Amino acid sequence: PANPVVVTLLLNASGDAIALVESAPDNTTRITLLEQPDVPGGQVMQVWTKPDDDGPPVSLGLLSDGTSGTLVIQGLTAPAAQQLYEITLEPAGGSPTDLPTGPILGVGRANGPVI
């Protein structure tokens, strides 16, 4: 995104940074993978956020080819500091329940806003 308002480092269970998330006011979100996760055949990486800590996670989209990418979603409030982001492994085509079902590859809370 041209002007991200939040930046998030996603960490794996060992505390290693696996992805950088940059999200703009319109929720255009760039995911830069810092290491190549092992994505088994028949699965995809799905990116999630929680605009409201008390609400359900919302899918930002799939990194279907297992590489960095930019995801666009409509209808969410602008991202804010401390907003949760995560990447999970899901079945091909994404989560069948519209909620994360697979193991978490990386998780983090947004820093920002970046001025």
Side-chain angles (χ1 to χ4, degrees), residues 5-109:
V5 290
V6 297
V7 177
T8 312
L9 265 181
L10 301 187
L11 306 179
N12 66 14
S14 304
D16 299 320
I18 63 134
L20 175 67
V21 177
E22 299 167 275
S23 196
D26 66 354
N27 284 288
T28 297
T29 303
R30 180 169 54 215
I31 315 294
T32 304
L33 296 175
L34 303 176
E35 63 177 47
Q36 188 58 49
D38 181 23
V39 179
Q43 294 195 302
V44 295
M45 288 186 287
Q46 191 159 1
V47 182
W48 304 87
T49 191
K50 281 184 77 172
D52 176 356
D53 264 353
D54 296 328
V58 176
S59 175
L60 293 174
L62 306 177
L63 297 176
S64 51
D65 59 0
T67 60
S68 302
T70 299
L71 305 172
V72 180
I73 186 169
Q74 305 296 318
L76 288 185
T77 55
Q82 295 304 304
Q83 186 164 317
L84 186 78
Y85 287 85
E86 68 182 18
I87 298 176
T88 61
L89 272 181
E90 300 294 342
S95 168
T97 65
D98 288 330
L99 293 170
T101 63
I104 296 173
L105 297 178
V107 63
R109 288 198 177 266

